[in-house]
Amino acid sequence: MAKARDARDTGRMSTAPDDLAALHALLAAEPHGVLCTAHARHGGWPFGSLAPFALTAQRDPVFLFSSIAEHTNNLRADPRASLLIQDRAALDQPLAGARATLMGTALAPEGEARRAALAVYLARFPEAAEWATAHDFAPFVLRVERVRWIRGFGSMGWVERANW
């Protein structure tokens, strides 16, 4: 388990195999999270929206967004974003449960990368196939740069992309 850190500590956590395995298991188990973007028309205020996601082989989240969605417009203006994922089993006591915030940049890939991202998303959400063919839906990939991982009380830290 990761070593507890002081609230002022911004250092990297221990990336022991059991920590990373638990983090990766959380991401694989949870089908959605809260995507936070900087609002393009409201002075960059943080804007959160529910976002189903799938994971690439590099564990970068893939979303399928409509061109009219607030978060899509926000990402086109500023691609920085974070995705909060929490353990559904801990909803009664959410602060005691595992959760992770993935921070990075979210971009709409083109060409073969777009097809690959869409395939990853549709493998997890096959019911979204009709949206994927609509002209105003596109996949976005959040390239994770760092992760704030909280396994539970007293077990938290940062994971950088190199250890992701």
Side-chain angles (χ1 to χ4, degrees):
M1 190 171 298
K3 181 174 96 175
R5 297 228 178 243
D6 182 283
R8 297 164 296 183
D9 185 5
T10 59
R12 292 179 180 91
M13 75 179 239
S14 163
T15 52
D18 65 321
D19 286 319
L20 287 175
L23 172 54
H24 296 160
L26 174 69
L27 297 177
E30 298 302 332
H32 56 61
V34 176
L35 180 71
C36 296
T37 57
H39 205 285
R41 292 187 316 261
H42 293 289
W45 280 88
F47 179 81
S49 53
L50 187 62
F53 68 92
L55 295 171
T56 67
Q58 296 76 32
R59 294 186 183 90
D60 290 328
V62 177
F63 311 97
L64 185 61
F65 291 152
S66 167
S67 64
I68 63 171
E70 291 288 321
H71 46 252
T72 303
N73 293 319
N74 296 344
L75 290 172
R76 288 200 169 119
D78 182 345
R80 292 174 303 158
S82 66
L83 178 67
L84 169 67
I85 300 142
Q86 76 175 88
D87 181 1
R88 279 179 288 168
L91 289 180
D92 288 342
Q93 293 187 327
L95 296 179
R99 57 213 181 266
T101 300
L102 287 60
M103 299 167 60
T105 53
L107 300 170
E110 296 181 12
E112 183 54 38
R114 181 187 193 284
R115 286 186 285 282
L118 192 54
V120 164
Y121 189 87
L122 293 177
R124 189 168 201 187
F125 302 104
E127 68 278 7
E130 65 184 86
W131 297 349
T133 59
H135 70 280
D136 72 335
F137 277 83
F140 277 72
V141 179
L142 178 66
R143 185 180 189 284
V144 176
E145 294 299 326
R146 65 194 45 85
V147 176
R148 179 65 172 172
W149 165 233
I150 301 173
R151 194 167 179 177
F153 284 123
S155 179
M156 65 199 76
W158 291 93
V159 179
E160 298 295 322
R161 183 163 185 91
N163 297 321
W164 181 232

